[in-house]
Amino acid sequence: MKNADIFEFYRRLAEANPDPQTELAYGNDYQLLVAVTLSAQSTDVGVNKATRKLFEFVKTPAQMLELGEDGLKQHIKTIGLFNSKAKNVIALSEILVRDHGGEVPANRDILETLPGVGRKTANVVMNTAFGAETFAVDTHIFRLGNRTGLAKGKTPLAVEKQLDKKTPAPFRRGAHHWLILHGRYICKARTPECWRCPVIDLCAYKSKTPSPKAKSVSKG
């Protein structure tokens, strides 16, 4: 995708959604870190359902440690891999209390050393909590980057580096949210809804999906 097209790609997404936000529910930086850690291989809707009551009284890592691993499991047992996730959340909470005064560090390298926190999670926290121009590449963004031609790469890190290189300054902070929402609701995995895509003419995807109405007309 040419630079002029990339700018227009983001401009249209920004026009449609001027203030993109994560769909994870949270009240502070620590709750965000926990929510993103829990969201691995789970939906934001499922995580929000599990954390709704949890976050009413667990707002700090110290409070999480008071709840304990077994108590946490009772809240998140509807989430996939909840046993290992509970263990990681307790472990990272211990580290935050012990080494960081109970605060979430605004440093990606440090975040990546926490149990259960990989580069994607660290990038989300840095972007959403601290306003860093980071690009968290999940399955949606990896697919969208390659399918549209916006940022091609064989690995999430390769796509991340392309996004970092190609995303223009006005859109760098919001890029992660625009792309994940576009991939989640329009540029879907199995059947992308190309007929209602605002950037269809800029996209390199050749097998554009016709609208259901067009399909029914052709069958008739």
Side-chain angles (χ1 to χ4, degrees), residues 3-58:
N3 289 338
D5 290 340
I6 291 174
F7 189 96
E8 179 63 12
F9 186 100
Y10 280 116
R11 189 199 67 76
R12 293 183 194 177
L13 295 184
E15 184 178 50
N17 184 5
D19 186 28
Q21 302 290 331
T22 178
E23 293 187 319
L24 287 170
Y26 68 98
N28 58 35
D29 296 346
Y30 173 68
Q31 290 182 340
L32 172 66
L33 174 61
V34 171
V36 180
T37 301
L38 295 177
S39 70
Q41 299 182 48
S42 302
T43 65
D44 288 0
V45 172
V47 172
N48 290 342
K49 183 177 180 180
T51 59
R52 188 172 296 116
K53 290 186 177 180
L54 173 68
F55 285 168
E56 287 179 3
F57 60 90
V58 174

Side-chain angles (χ1 to χ4, degrees), residues 180-196:
I180 193 172
L181 293 172
H182 189 67
R184 184 175 290 168
Y185 296 111
I186 296 180
C187 197
K188 300 177 181 179
R190 294 187 178 180
T191 308
E193 299 182 1
C194 303
W195 67 89
R196 66 184 192 92

Side-chain angles (χ1 to χ4, degrees), residues 2-219:
K2 297 179 181 179
N3 289 338
D5 290 340
I6 291 174
F7 189 96
E8 179 63 12
F9 186 100
Y10 280 116
R11 189 199 67 76
R12 293 183 194 177
L13 295 184
E15 184 178 50
N17 184 5
D19 186 28
Q21 302 290 331
T22 178
E23 293 187 319
L24 287 170
Y26 68 98
N28 58 35
D29 296 346
Y30 173 68
Q31 290 182 340
L32 172 66
L33 174 61
V34 171
V36 180
T37 301
L38 295 177
S39 70
Q41 299 182 48
S42 302
T43 65
D44 288 0
V45 172
V47 172
N48 290 342
K49 183 177 180 180
T51 59
R52 188 172 296 116
K53 290 186 177 180
L54 173 68
F55 285 168
E56 287 179 3
F57 60 90
V58 174
K59 304 180 187 300
T60 68
Q63 291 172 338
M64 185 68 79
L65 295 179
E66 289 179 12
L67 176 64
E69 187 174 330
D70 289 338
L72 175 57
K73 286 181 181 179
Q74 292 304 308
H75 284 277
I76 66 171
K77 59 186 178 182
T78 57
I79 299 176
L81 307 175
F82 73 93
N83 282 312
S84 60
K85 289 179 180 179
K87 183 177 181 180
N88 285 333
V89 168
I90 294 298
L92 71 83
S93 298
E94 290 176 343
I95 294 172
L96 292 180
V97 169
R98 184 188 71 216
D99 300 338
H100 303 285
E103 300 293 327
V104 177
N107 182 295
R108 183 169 62 186
D109 292 336
I110 295 175
L111 287 171
E112 286 190 69
T113 67
L114 297 175
V117 179
R119 187 175 181 89
K120 183 192 74 173
T121 296
N123 278 334
V124 172
V125 173
M126 288 301 298
N127 178 267
T128 304
F130 304 115
E133 295 178 349
T134 53
F135 303 86
V137 179
D138 67 349
T139 55
H140 295 297
I141 295 180
F142 181 77
R143 176 182 69 251
L144 187 151
N146 280 286
R147 177 186 279 168
T148 63
L150 174 67
K152 291 188 175 183
K154 294 183 178 180
T155 66
L157 181 58
V159 170
E160 178 188 333
K161 289 182 177 180
Q162 285 295 305
L163 289 173
D164 192 17
K165 179 181 178 181
K166 295 181 177 181
T167 301
F171 310 112
R172 292 179 64 80
R173 184 173 178 181
H176 157 252
H177 296 298
W178 282 313
L179 296 178
I180 193 172
L181 293 172
H182 189 67
R184 184 175 290 168
Y185 296 111
I186 296 180
C187 197
K188 300 177 181 179
R190 294 187 178 180
T191 308
E193 299 182 1
C194 303
W195 67 89
R196 66 184 192 92
C197 176
V199 292
I200 185 172
D201 58 311
L202 305 173
C203 172
Y205 185 55
K206 294 181 179 180
S207 304
K208 298 290 196 300
T209 309
S211 70
K213 185 179 294 186
K215 287 182 180 179
S216 62
V217 170
S218 63
K219 287 182 179 179

